[in-house]
Amino acid sequence: MTEHPTSHEGRQPLAARQQERTRPRQQDAAAAAAAAAIPSPAAAPNPGPGSAAVAEAQAATRREGDRLRFVGAATRRIARGIDLDEIVLGLCRASVPTFSDAILVYLRDPLPVGDERPVSPFVLRLRRSDRLRHTDEEGGEAGPESERLRPLLTDPTADLMPAAELCEVRAGGALAEVLRGVRPVFGDSAAARAALPELLGAGRPVPTGHRAILAPLRGRRRVIGAAVFVRSTERAPFEASDLLVAAQLATHTALGIDKAVLYGREAYIADELQRTMLPDSLPQPTGVRLASRYLPAAETARVGGDWYDAIPLPGSRVALVVGDVMDHSMTSAAIMGQLRTTAQTLAQLDLPPQEVLHHLDEQAQRLGSDRMATCLYAVYDPVAHRITIANAGHPPPVLLHLGGRAEVLRVPPGAPIGVGGVDFEAVELDAPAGATLLLYTDGLVESRLRDVWTGIEQLRERLAATAQLTGPDHSPPLEALCDDVLDMLGPGDRDDDIALLAARFDGIAPSDVAYWYLEPEDAAPGRARRLARRALARWGLDEMSDEVELLVSEVVTNAVRYAERPVTLRLLRTDILRCEVGDDSPQLPRQRRARETDEGGRGLFLVNRLARRWGATRLSTGKVVWFEMATRS
């Protein structure tokens, strides 16, 4: 899948990436050496009287050529930056020591984005300062160039480095006038002599002569900062042509900052969009434990169309969903959100998995002819210990058995969602207690270095190897298993987003399930109370009988009032006690406050007060009303 616009550096072999990173530095160093080697008129050999003018012209031509090469190398270095810090660092590294001995970079705080109106007051914050140092960054000995400029350490211009962190630009002040003028100015100009103390802070020394350049940083729409270039007294002062160089550096830096800030805002919005469309937390349904992971393709492309979901269903079942919208963009994230919402709505209708995929396919076609996605939809029943799976062009799930055997489930692949005019097929498989089902997107198993089936086989082997560490009688911890699966990714394998959903099947033992049919008659609530009392006594939960009988009676009474066919009553004992009452009426009950003169209307009020949780779900054949209570045994 295509990635959000970004560098492909992370997808190349390590040696190639190191070579690419080294080559620009070598080019910059060559340009810096060329610029530093510009001979001064005093150092040039003394030619004959007839050739003095020619020699001077040649020297000027060489200096101009070196200056152009420096500007080209410097702008390339600045352009290589992706985020704000990289661009500012590129300006500093390109300027010091080739063009100046010290640099200060101030940026507007906060930086306006796009067409946003800047906030008032106009404040500049020192973003970065850099100067030539006696030792290199690794603490080694200084090179010849550093030795030549050692006096900078005692030069008054060195005091510019601890400049003021914040500067408020006064409207109509000297600094505001220089920034409004956009063009760089020498430090000893009338405008700069008044502006520099305002920028650097009162009482700080200001370079004399042509040893400082104040260059406004103007983006596409407004001034966003300023840069101060400084040379020491041991070096030739700036020339008039250096103002053009400073202007070039400032322009490229400002445009790069504008672009980085705008892209950063877009990436933030896209990331927030996708994060809000993914579940904040997974539910805790009865009989199954869940864990999930989501990894973006890269920090510079954090938006995609991968998603996962776990949806509780009536009858203590749970729907497990994982999908992948093709392409990477904000549009993909938006489509993902719509498909996920549609899947949640369809799941609440208790449709079979193949029907859910069919309706998702229709929804994708309504969104556009090129809106395609893969999806896998599974429904786990902890009572029957079975799972029903339907697939729409998605990689098959992997089932890790309790003994350590990992198998790729044979699920008909189907066509991707959005193709249209295709049927989806569902298969029903055993889901033994202790087994772990792993659903994932293709970013986990497919990359430029391996095809999808090779990746699936590696995933199967990784799961089996992890299970061997815990022994044949224990399943590996679910969270640790997810982390271990992601560790199989190499440095060149992050070509796509990764969504991972793991489900550990605990199931519900038949001895912990009680199920009855009740005829829709007046005697049904009393029979339901007796059946519930016997089940609780068998489970050793007699102390809960009074409350459970009361709530069961209220819910069954409400069901009998509207049902035409037998009502179902089911009790499930796990770490909680869950009661489910189903009938053939689609009308969902609503809690309301009964008046003093009303004879009814208080049943759901009691359920809401006494039960830990309760709810009602509409089915294609009616509805189910359920409540849960904490066990006291």
Side-chain angles (χ1 to χ4, degrees):
M1 297 185 182
T2 57
E3 193 57 70
H4 197 82
T6 183
S7 170
H8 297 282
E9 181 187 71
R11 303 177 184 175
Q12 296 175 341
L14 178 60
R17 295 202 307 271
Q18 290 176 339
Q19 186 176 4
E20 276 198 8
R21 291 170 179 167
T22 305
R23 187 182 300 113
R25 297 190 186 120
Q26 293 172 343
Q27 294 172 351
D28 294 346
I38 299 176
S40 63
N46 187 19
S51 60
V54 175
E56 180 65 26
Q58 291 175 345
T61 302
R62 285 196 302 271
R63 287 195 299 271
E64 184 62 25
D66 291 338
R67 186 176 289 109
L68 291 176
R69 282 191 293 272
F70 161 71
V71 170
T75 53
R76 285 194 301 271
R77 186 164 193 169
I78 294 170
R80 285 200 300 269
I82 295 176
D83 59 24
L84 181 61
D85 290 332
E86 289 180 350
I87 293 171
V88 175
L89 178 61
L91 170 64
C92 295
R93 291 292 184 260
S95 303
V96 179
T98 308
F99 181 67
S100 64
D101 297 329
I103 184 173
L104 299 168
V105 181
Y106 282 85
L107 294 182
R108 199 161 189 159
D109 187 27
L111 275 168
V113 181
D115 294 326
E116 286 183 355
R117 186 170 183 175
V119 298
S120 296
F122 186 167
V123 176
L124 293 177
R125 179 181 292 274
L126 182 61
R127 186 76 185 196
R128 187 177 181 89
S129 62
D130 209 350
R131 63 168 175 156
L132 188 64
R133 301 181 185 278
H134 177 55
T135 57
D136 60 21
E137 293 180 357
E138 285 72 29
E141 294 183 0
E145 185 68 15
S146 295
E147 279 296 326
R148 183 177 70 82
L149 295 173
R150 180 188 289 213
L152 176 65
L153 299 177
T154 58
D155 191 85
T157 58
D159 292 335
L160 285 175
M161 306 319 298
E165 289 289 332
L166 287 176
C167 167
E168 182 175 339
V169 181
R170 301 188 305 272
L175 181 57
E177 292 299 322
V178 172
L179 297 179
R180 187 179 297 112
V182 177
R183 300 183 180 219
V185 295
F186 285 123
D188 62 348
S189 65
R193 282 199 304 270
L196 281 174
E198 183 180 345
L199 177 66
L200 305 177
R204 299 188 182 275
V206 177
T208 59
H210 284 21
R211 300 197 174 277
I213 292 179
L214 174 58
L217 301 178
R218 179 176 176 82
R220 291 173 178 82
R221 294 174 178 83
R222 59 184 64 86
V223 173
I224 60 173
V228 181
F229 303 92
V230 181
R231 282 187 179 178
S232 71
T233 55
E234 296 297 314
R235 188 172 184 175
F238 290 112
E239 301 175 358
S241 56
D242 290 327
L243 291 177
L244 299 178
V245 174
Q248 287 282 337
L249 298 179
T251 299
H252 283 273
T253 301
L255 294 178
I257 290 173
D258 250 3
K259 182 179 178 180
V261 171
L262 192 59
Y263 173 73
R265 174 63 63 85
E266 291 178 353
Y268 171 79
I269 293 174
D271 181 62
E272 287 299 306
L273 173 65
Q274 180 164 6
R275 295 290 180 181
T276 55
M277 290 182 179
L278 292 174
D280 292 332
S281 60
L282 292 174
Q284 298 177 351
T286 303
V288 61
R289 285 171 284 167
L290 302 172
S292 64
R293 295 291 187 275
Y294 172 78
L295 290 180
E299 285 298 321
T300 54
R302 296 182 292 177
V303 60
D306 292 17
W307 90 91
Y308 62 89
D309 214 342
I311 310 168
L313 299 177
S316 296
R317 296 169 300 146
V318 60
L320 307 173
V321 193
V322 66
D324 184 2
V325 177
M326 297 184 181
D327 202 359
H328 284 75
S329 63
M330 292 184 66
T331 302
S332 300
I335 294 173
M336 176 268 286
Q338 295 183 66
L339 292 180
R340 179 178 175 238
T341 302
T342 303
Q344 289 179 327
T345 303
L346 295 171
Q348 296 304 319
L349 298 177
D350 202 25
L351 298 177
Q354 66 271 22
E355 288 297 319
V356 172
L357 294 184
H358 174 73
H359 289 294
L360 284 176
D361 180 57
E362 292 181 336
Q363 175 66 10
Q365 293 179 69
R366 285 191 289 268
L367 294 176
S369 58
D370 59 343
R371 309 307 189 196
M372 299 180 64
T374 63
C375 183
L376 193 144
Y377 188 94
V379 175
Y380 170 63
D381 188 338
V383 177
H385 295 266
R386 304 281 287 177
I387 187 167
T388 306
I389 307 175
N391 192 3
H394 203 79
V398 179
L399 184 66
L400 178 63
H401 293 267
L402 182 60
R405 181 173 64 91
E407 65 169 323
V408 180
L409 298 182
R410 297 181 178 179
V411 181
I417 291 171
V419 172
V422 296
D423 292 329
F424 299 98
E425 182 180 353
V427 294
E428 187 173 349
L429 305 169
D430 287 330
T436 304
L437 184 70
L438 196 70
L439 309 180
Y440 53 90
T441 55
D442 58 357
L444 180 65
V445 294
E446 185 179 21
S447 71
R448 293 186 177 186
L449 305 179
R450 60 184 177 185
D451 62 78
V452 62
W453 288 108
T454 300
I456 292 175
E457 179 60 22
Q458 291 179 358
L459 173 61
R460 188 194 66 79
E461 294 174 353
R462 185 62 174 255
L463 289 173
T466 302
Q468 294 298 325
L469 300 176
T470 58
D473 299 328
H474 298 86
S475 299
L478 205 55
E479 296 290 342
L481 180 65
C482 291
D483 293 335
D484 192 66
V485 166
L486 295 180
D487 285 342
M488 68 180 280
L489 296 171
D493 293 345
R494 293 287 300 281
D495 296 335
D496 195 5
D497 300 23
I498 297 173
L500 182 66
L501 180 62
R504 173 73 44 78
F505 300 142
D506 294 331
I508 301 176
S511 59
D512 292 327
V513 181
Y515 192 87
W516 304 278
Y517 285 96
L518 304 173
E519 292 297 328
E521 55 189 17
D522 294 341
R527 182 165 179 256
R529 289 195 296 271
R530 292 192 296 273
L531 293 173
R533 186 186 311 118
R534 294 172 188 170
L536 294 175
R538 186 170 68 251
W539 291 334
L541 301 176
D542 301 86
E543 69 278 5
M544 299 179 61
S545 291
D546 292 340
E547 292 182 358
V548 172
E549 287 183 42
L550 175 61
L551 300 189
V552 166
S553 177
E554 293 294 341
V555 176
V556 171
T557 299
N558 188 73
V560 169
R561 182 177 303 168
Y562 301 100
E564 297 181 358
R565 298 178 182 178
V567 174
T568 60
L569 171 62
R570 183 164 76 167
L571 295 179
L572 303 172
R573 183 191 67 164
T574 56
D575 54 338
I576 60 172
L577 181 69
R578 181 181 175 95
C579 174
E580 299 171 348
V581 178
D583 62 73
D584 60 346
S585 173
Q587 182 178 356
L588 297 180
R590 294 287 184 267
Q591 181 182 351
R592 64 184 180 87
R593 182 175 297 276
R595 293 172 296 185
E596 295 182 0
T597 57
D598 291 342
E599 296 182 0
R602 297 176 177 83
L604 290 182
F605 178 77
L606 292 174
V607 174
N608 186 64
R609 290 296 300 269
L610 298 179
R612 190 181 75 167
R613 291 196 311 154
W614 76 278
T617 304
R618 183 179 285 113
L619 307 177
S620 57
T621 57
K623 68 175 180 293
V624 169
V625 180
W626 56 271
F627 64 84
E628 295 176 351
M629 301 188 70
T631 58
R632 303 168 188 170
S633 59

